[in-house]
Amino acid sequence: MPEPGAEGKLTKTAWREYRNLLQDVGPILPCWAVTSLSARGRIEFAPGSYDIVVFDEASQCDIASALPLLYRAKSVVVIGDPKQLSHISGLSRGQDLGLMEKHGVFPRFAEWAYSHQSLFALAATKVAAADIITLRDHHRSHADIITFSNNEFYEQTLRVATRYDRLKMPKKDEPGVIWIDVKGHAVRPGSGGAVNVEEARAVVAKLRDLVLANGYEGTVGVVTPFRAQANAILEAVNADEALFEALLRAEFLVDTVHRFQGDERDVMIFSPVVTSDMPESARVFLRSNPNLFNVAITRARAQLIVVGDRAACAKCDIGYLSRFAAYTSSLGAVEKDEIAERLNALGPEYPTVARPELVSDWERIFYRALYARGIRAIPQYPVEKYLLDFLVAANGRRLAIEVDGERYHRNWTGELCRRDQIRNQRLFELGYDVRRFWVYEIRDDIEACVRSVENWLRMDSSLRSAK
């Protein structure tokens, strides 16, 4: 190929040869992967030259950068998450509106505004609701991590399909989210934002405990909403030679949320910087950017460690953060002797439970039949985000019993089937056995259903005898 011309640009002759080469290799290499801005100079600017153009992370794509790629496409697929961060615009909404009015495109084309409208948001206005496909299965994070975001941001539409055997937990007995309570002071540095020195020191202390004291071998990251806080943590890590060397092996990265979107680590430490005396400008920034928080906490696969002032977060006027503080307080709160306490409280009649509206008559009948045979089944036993119809426990083994009611049969769909598969898989990973009974089985042959549970208990006796 001829040498480049002035300023490193290809000459016309070189471009002609390059276009001819593209036509030759196109059938051999039908799929190209480029960024929006790197397409120029690599892919010929011709209308409809590609059958399909796929935009990934489209909530971060601005519309202007996407237009040349759309020109090259016969059809387009847009993939993104509107609950994550959008692109950063140097154009204010006021300037944007002024330019649109000047050129006569407002309000007719208001949805094309560059300053705040992403490619994903634009695409969502151009298709029918039925043509928007929701990707429901979440595979990245521990249930404790994603459950809050699922409730707070996704209206409980996600199904947690994480393979827990692939998660690198620092300690198996710990929940997926832990909070290290640190009292500090947030101040506004000259560069803006906020920094909390006490919190930064606590983050570094936790990093030392994780990778030096306990030899954790997974990947590690630290994320915070403020650049000044990220810089303070990075400086402290760099000043600790032993910690710095250990973190190199952990693919360590400390940065703001914008840098972490699309990235992930086995363990993430989140430094919120929130205190009761936090600068108001920083507080306003957090209040107006809930998606920033959603991205921050979901970068973790196995465990999210929050290092900050829990009381200040719980009492702050940043709604999602105060709700998150309350949520983390409930994790791991079940005491080890809860099973024994609940077993002691059982009697021949179905007991009072927290959610009686979920209890069917057949569950009550099955409970009485099990109790009459000496089987103590705990109703509505919580396991992570699930509520078991019954739990039977014996000598370290646990049986989850589910009674599927008539309404369940009438509404049984592929969605319910998938949720049941995910639920069963998680219970298996936690060490539970699972038995499911249809109400028709209990109605038509309750004796066989009770024997099934007895057989599980006898299997426990056989296992102990074999030992």
Side-chain angles (χ1 to χ4, degrees):
M1 181 174 288
E3 292 294 323
E7 299 180 1
K9 296 181 180 179
L10 293 179
T11 63
K12 290 183 179 179
T13 302
W15 258 115
R16 190 180 307 112
E17 292 188 20
Y18 182 65
R19 286 196 297 269
N20 291 336
L21 181 63
L22 285 178
Q23 293 175 0
D24 292 336
V25 303
I28 303 172
L29 302 173
C31 183
W32 290 68
V34 296
T35 64
S36 299
L37 298 181
S38 66
R40 181 175 181 267
R42 290 172 173 81
I43 299 176
E44 185 179 9
F45 189 65
S49 52
Y50 286 85
D51 294 317
I52 301 174
V53 170
V54 179
F55 290 90
D56 192 17
E57 296 285 357
S59 64
Q60 279 197 299
C61 296
D62 66 86
I63 298 168
S65 300
L67 291 176
L69 290 169
L70 291 171
Y71 178 75
R72 293 173 168 93
K74 295 176 183 176
S75 59
V76 61
V77 175
V78 179
I79 304 171
D81 183 352
K83 299 301 183 180
Q84 295 199 13
L85 302 179
S86 186
H87 63 284
I88 299 175
S89 171
L91 188 69
S92 70
R93 290 198 180 198
Q95 292 172 316
D96 202 4
L97 177 59
L99 287 170
M100 295 184 80
E101 288 180 335
K102 177 181 177 180
H103 294 282
V105 296
F106 184 84
R108 185 179 177 188
F109 295 102
E111 70 272 22
W112 291 76
Y114 171 84
S115 60
H116 62 278
Q117 192 82 330
S118 70
L119 176 64
F120 182 88
L122 173 66
T125 69
K126 301 300 179 184
V127 298
D131 293 327
I132 298 177
I133 300 172
T134 301
L135 304 179
R136 297 185 181 277
D137 288 355
H138 176 89
H139 297 274
R140 175 194 295 143
S141 304
H142 190 288
D144 289 347
I145 299 169
I146 194 60
T147 293
F148 178 81
S149 286
N150 196 15
N151 295 337
E152 182 77 13
F153 299 101
Y154 297 105
E155 300 177 344
Q156 298 184 338
T157 58
L158 299 180
R159 299 177 298 212
V160 182
T162 305
R163 288 287 302 273
Y164 284 78
D165 57 332
R166 298 177 181 175
L167 296 182
K168 296 181 179 179
M169 295 292 294
K171 296 179 181 178
K172 291 185 178 181
D173 294 336
E174 287 185 332
V177 181
I178 62 174
W179 193 303
I180 299 175
D181 198 15
V182 176
K183 306 300 180 185
H185 299 281
V187 298
R188 178 181 173 85
S191 57
V195 63
N196 185 326
V197 175
E198 294 87 352
E199 195 170 291
R201 289 173 183 159
V203 168
V204 175
K206 181 58 185 177
L207 288 170
R208 288 187 60 84
D209 175 72
L210 188 67
V211 299
L212 294 180
N214 291 289
Y216 180 66
E217 297 181 350
T219 57
V220 180
V222 177
V223 64
T224 178
F226 301 105
R227 167 56 54 197
Q229 184 74 354
N231 290 343
I233 296 169
L234 182 59
E235 289 174 9
V237 168
N238 290 342
D240 188 326
E241 185 175 347
L243 179 60
F244 177 80
E245 291 294 330
L247 287 174
L248 283 178
R249 297 187 293 272
E251 300 179 26
F252 179 68
L253 177 65
V254 51
D255 218 316
T256 61
V257 183
H258 285 88
R259 169 63 181 81
F260 262 105
Q261 177 151 313
D263 208 344
E264 59 191 54
R265 293 292 186 274
D266 293 315
V267 171
M268 287 293 302
I269 298 177
F270 176 57
S271 174
V273 196
V274 172
T275 61
S276 58
D277 58 354
M278 185 178 199
E280 182 59 25
S281 58
R283 196 181 300 273
V284 170
F285 172 74
L286 292 178
R287 271 202 307 268
S288 59
N289 288 280
N291 286 10
L292 181 146
F293 178 76
N294 182 39
V295 174
I297 65 173
T298 56
R299 299 308 91 196
R301 289 190 287 259
Q303 189 172 67
L304 172 69
I305 302 172
V306 186
V307 178
D309 189 331
R310 188 199 290 265
C313 290
K315 296 177 182 178
C316 72
D317 56 357
I318 305 165
Y320 61 81
L321 188 56
S322 63
R323 289 188 288 273
F324 180 69
Y327 167 78
T328 60
S329 298
S330 67
L331 296 174
V334 178
E335 298 181 359
K336 294 180 179 179
D337 58 355
E338 181 184 354
I339 291 178
E341 291 179 1
R342 294 187 64 170
L343 283 172
N344 291 333
L346 296 178
E349 294 297 322
Y350 190 95
T352 301
V353 292
R355 301 196 61 185
E357 73 278 7
L358 299 180
V359 183
S360 70
D361 290 340
W362 290 109
E363 288 176 49
R364 297 179 186 278
I365 292 170
F366 194 39
Y367 172 87
R368 290 195 292 267
L370 291 171
Y371 192 91
R373 296 282 274 272
I375 301 172
R376 302 298 179 256
I378 302 172
Q380 289 197 356
Y381 188 81
V383 178
E384 292 187 343
K385 66 173 184 174
Y386 303 117
L387 197 63
L388 308 183
D389 287 343
F390 296 105
L391 169 70
V392 175
N395 299 298
R397 295 175 65 232
R398 294 167 293 180
L399 174 66
I401 298 177
E402 298 297 313
V403 178
D404 301 327
E406 293 182 64
R407 180 180 298 179
Y408 177 91
H409 300 317
R410 289 197 300 269
N411 297 335
W412 199 84
T413 62
E415 169 72 10
L416 279 173
C417 178
R418 179 60 177 152
R419 286 187 181 274
D420 282 345
Q421 289 174 340
I422 293 171
R423 177 188 178 107
N424 288 354
Q425 177 62 35
R426 180 54 184 150
L427 289 173
F428 293 149
E429 290 169 342
L430 290 171
Y432 287 78
D433 294 324
V434 179
R435 295 282 192 278
R436 303 192 77 96
F437 297 103
W438 293 47
V439 292
Y440 305 124
E441 293 180 89
I442 297 174
R443 181 195 65 188
D444 297 339
D445 196 350
I446 194 170
E447 175 65 21
C449 297
V450 172
R451 278 202 308 271
S452 175
V453 180
E454 287 179 329
N455 289 339
W456 180 85
L457 289 168
R458 276 196 290 271
M459 182 170 59
D460 174 67
S461 299
S462 299
L463 289 173
R464 284 186 285 119
S465 297
K467 292 179 181 180

